[in-house]
Structure formats: structure tokens, C-alpha cells
Amino acid sequence: MSRLWDKGAPLDERVLRYTAGEDYALDERLVRYDVRASIAHVQMLHAQQLLSAEDLALIQDGLTALGEAHARGEWRIELADEDGQSALERRLTERIGAAGGRVHLGRSRNDQLLVALRLYLRDVIVELATGAQRVIAALERLAGREAQTVLPGYTHMQQAMPSSVVLWAGGYAAELADDALGLSSVQRRIAGNPLGSAAGYGTPGLPLDREATTLALGFEHVQEPVTAVQLSRGKAEAQLLFELSLLCQDLGRMAADLLLFYTQEFAYVSLPDAFTTGSSIMPQKRNPDVFELVRARSATALACLTEALAICAKLPSGYQRDLQLLKFPLFRGIDLGLQTLDIVAAALDALKFRPERIRLDPAVHAAAEAYALVVTEGIPFREAYRRVAARYTRKD
């Protein structure tokens, strides 16, 4: 099988396996976006009198059919294709003949991949933010079910002040709302249209209309100058992974709370058997594994961010093959984010608090008692503090 850059010399199979790596498989999720961007590209070429109406019709119909067939699972990108861009052009040419060879005029695999990736990220950011909103809604439902349930509030792992399920759930809901806003802020970094920047230095002598593809694909502006396109790679990816790390950290802290609450010593909460697993040796065990793995996912999210940042560190300008490796941590981070949000929302709906097991140390009201002395007696807070402290000082 020949590749887009083949000039007749054979390629060592080991080189193909090493350089393509898993990239061809990762490109599967970008096919429908590549189809969409390719159609916008050829429509622009036709408008600029660089492609005949007959070839435009053939290419548009061929790309649409290939996209639909891929969605049905009728074909997949192969290692021999090297990447999704090559796979799509090869199959297009096989389907419609020589006209398929005209689709690549005025673009490189670099801007072709990047425009598809940005279209994908545009959708997945919304999906992630929506997932965060579903967890928020689950927390609000939990607070509604447990509106009367009190909880001790902890500092330094000691009971400190009175709290409630409403306060506990509301705190996490507020932070997850902040995380959703953080995710949405990434849209700014993918708002520029890279199509037409080609391999990073434009298309000298070719009258492309980059404004036309910007409008057709819903970008906010043309990314200029063309040399900035490759320099921008990794920034949106890292920002999204950073926001995902914060999101996973919040979910992990919530999971840590619930794991503590689930212990036999606390026994503040219960989960149905459908949301716990068992032990292979201890017949009595039911384990809250879901929340343990949610807690651990923050480490994976951080690792994805670190990998993405490290790939781009100290790269020279222009396209470098290193950038191909951004897809693995990016897609891994996105997938774990979507999966974690989905399971957390479901687990929260299955969670029940056990008010009969929750006991507040009387000392949690100490601060309120000190405030009351200030209000009723007009004494300085420090004096009130000392009086109340004297009643609650531990003797052990």
C-alpha cells in the first residue's frame, strides 16, 4: 500500500510500526471531523476556481459516503495507512478515481489533522462540561433527599463545626460548576482556523480563501500568521488536560470523603450492591471500589497533563513529529474524564446517608457559643474564646 508521501522507495516495516505507533488507531475518533473539514476545503477550492464542479460533486459524495460507512463500522484505519488523513484520501481515490487526488491541494496533513482535532475538541469540551453539570445535578438531588441530615464538619480530621449534607454537597457542586467554566474556557484556544496554513508556511502562489473555510467550519477567526499554527500546538491540549486535572482532583476529594464515610467506623453512608464489589477471600466484604478508582484517577489526569507539557517543551518552531504523540495523553485524559463523570453521577444517585449513625461531638458548637457570648455580653471575642475553650479543653 502506498502512502501520500511515497516516492517508490520501500519503507522498512519496523520504521512504519515505530513512527505510526498507535496514531492510526487514535485517529478513528477524528474521521467524521476530517470528512467535514475536507468537504469545506474542496468547496472553497471550487469557489476559487481551483476545482471543477464535476470533481467537487464526486469528492463531496465520496467523502460523505466514506464518513457514513465509517460510522457504521464498515472500515477502519489500518497501520499501513499510517494515519487517518492518508486512510481517507486513499479510500476516496479508490472510490471515485483520479478526482480523489485533487482533495489535498492547498493543505498538508498537519493542518488537515489540526482542523479535525479542533472540531473534535469543540464538541468534547461541551460533552465534558455537560458531564460536570450532570454530577452537579446528582449532588443537588442528594442534597434534596438528605435536606435534614446533619454532618460534622472536619478540620485536621477532627470534628470542628456543624455541617450538613446540603452544605457538603453544595460545596462540591460549586467547585464542579467552576470546573465546567474552566473547561469551557479552552474554547478560546481552538477558535482559530488552521486550515490553509499547510505545513506551517502557507501555500505560496495558491489563492486560497481561508475566510471561507473559517465561516463554513464555525471558527471565530483565521489563525495568523501561518507560522503561529504549529507553535500553538499543545497549548489547547495542555489547557484542557489542566482543567481536567482540576476536575478529577475535585471528584477525587469528594470520593475520599465518601470512602471515609463508608467505613464501618463512620458508617455515615450506604451503597447498594450494584455499586460495590466483593472480596475473593473474605465473604463478608462489600467494597466501594468505584470511589477508590475515582480518587486514583486524579493521578492519571495529572500524568496526562505532564506528558503533554513535556512533549512540547523546547521544541523548535515548525512542525516536528513529536507533536503526533500529543494525541495519546489528550485522548486518554478526555476518556477518563468522561467515564469518571458518568459513573460518579450514577453512584451519587445510588448513595444514601444514614442519619442514625451520625453523631456530632457537642464541642462542634463551641464557636457558636463563643459568638453568642460576644453578642449577649458584649465581651471581646478572645475573652469569649477563652471561656468556651475552658469548658471543652481535653484532659487526656
Side-chain angles (χ1 to χ4, degrees):
M1 181 187 298
S2 62
R3 282 162 284 278
L4 299 185
W5 49 266
D6 265 342
K7 302 176 181 67
L11 181 69
D12 190 309
E13 185 69 17
R14 293 168 296 183
V15 172
L16 174 62
R17 289 190 177 279
Y18 188 75
T19 56
E22 62 199 346
D23 196 54
Y24 71 99
L26 295 175
D27 277 350
E28 293 287 354
R29 70 182 71 196
L30 300 180
V31 169
R32 68 188 181 102
Y33 298 100
D34 199 347
V35 167
R36 180 182 168 193
S38 295
I39 289 174
H41 179 70
V42 294
Q43 288 173 341
M44 179 273 295
L45 291 178
H46 171 64
Q48 294 299 103
Q49 300 183 348
L50 295 169
L51 188 69
S52 70
E54 294 77 15
D55 284 344
L56 172 63
L58 282 171
I59 293 170
Q60 284 189 132
D61 291 347
L63 286 170
T64 300
L66 283 170
E68 292 171 350
H70 183 269
R72 293 191 298 267
E74 294 175 7
W75 65 273
R76 286 290 177 262
I77 304 167
E78 303 169 15
L79 173 63
D81 288 316
E82 191 175 33
D83 53 47
Q85 299 78 55
S86 299
L88 193 60
E89 183 172 335
R90 176 176 70 82
R91 283 170 173 78
L92 178 66
T93 302
E94 289 173 355
R95 179 180 286 264
I96 68 172
R102 300 185 185 278
V103 71
H104 205 60
L105 177 65
R107 69 179 184 180
S108 162
R109 284 183 298 174
N110 296 315
D111 61 337
Q112 184 181 353
L113 174 277
L114 192 51
V115 71
L117 182 63
R118 289 184 180 177
L119 293 174
Y120 163 73
L121 289 178
R122 184 192 298 170
D123 284 352
V124 87
I125 288 166
V126 173
E127 191 176 356
L128 285 162
T130 301
Q133 292 296 338
R134 283 197 295 269
V135 177
I136 292 168
L139 284 165
E140 290 172 346
R141 288 190 293 272
L142 176 63
R145 295 194 306 271
E146 305 285 349
Q148 305 305 315
T149 304
V150 298
L151 283 174
Y154 291 88
T155 65
H156 305 279
M157 300 303 291
Q158 306 295 307
Q159 289 197 16
M161 295 182 75
S163 184
S164 65
V165 174
V166 171
L167 272 175
W168 178 86
Y172 280 113
E175 288 310 297
L176 289 169
D178 180 68
D179 295 332
L181 285 173
L183 289 165
S184 298
S185 73
V186 183
Q187 296 283 8
R188 181 185 68 82
R189 287 199 182 273
I190 56 172
N193 178 19
L195 198 57
S197 63
Y201 301 95
T203 55
L206 203 60
L208 298 187
D209 184 354
R210 297 186 65 198
E211 292 288 353
T213 55
T214 297
L215 181 63
L217 295 171
F219 287 103
E220 292 182 8
H221 57 86
V222 174
Q223 189 170 9
E224 293 281 14
V226 289
T227 47
V229 173
Q230 298 303 323
L231 289 170
S232 73
R233 293 189 66 173
K235 287 186 176 180
E237 294 90 333
Q239 186 181 351
L240 177 55
L241 290 169
F242 172 74
E243 298 296 346
L244 273 172
S245 294
L246 295 182
L247 171 66
C248 288
Q249 180 174 285
D250 284 333
L251 294 173
R253 294 185 70 177
M254 181 171 65
D257 280 352
L258 292 172
L259 288 166
L260 190 65
F261 293 168
Y262 189 80
T263 60
Q264 288 169 297
E265 289 75 14
F266 278 71
Y268 288 0
V269 298
S270 65
L271 284 166
D273 286 353
F275 277 85
T276 59
T277 64
S279 166
S280 64
I281 186 173
M282 294 167 282
Q284 84 282 11
K285 289 291 296 299
R286 297 301 300 181
N287 303 317
D289 290 358
V290 165
F291 290 119
E292 292 178 70
L293 292 174
V294 170
R295 182 176 58 187
R297 291 298 191 219
S298 60
T300 310
L302 178 59
C304 291
L305 170 61
T306 302
E307 184 175 350
L309 288 170
I311 287 169
C312 297
K314 297 183 175 59
L315 283 182
S317 63
Y319 175 74
Q320 315 294 327
R321 189 74 180 258
D322 314 48
L323 294 168
Q324 169 185 303
L325 302 182
L326 281 168
K327 275 186 248 176
F328 179 72
L330 176 64
F331 292 172
R332 188 183 185 201
I334 288 169
D335 289 347
L336 79 86
L338 291 171
Q339 292 162 8
T340 302
L341 288 165
D342 182 62
I343 196 63
V344 168
L348 287 172
D349 279 335
L351 186 76
K352 291 182 179 179
F353 276 79
R354 304 171 68 187
E356 74 280 3
R357 298 300 302 264
I358 300 171
R359 296 286 184 270
L360 272 64
D361 185 331
V364 299
H365 300 289
E369 292 175 20
Y371 295 152
L373 285 174
V374 171
V375 172
T376 59
E377 299 186 19
I379 62 175
F381 174 72
R382 276 298 150 224
E383 174 61 25
Y385 178 98
R386 282 190 289 271
R387 285 194 203 176
V388 174
R391 294 204 297 269
Y392 290 110
T393 300
R394 294 169 60 167
K395 300 293 193 280
D396 50 286

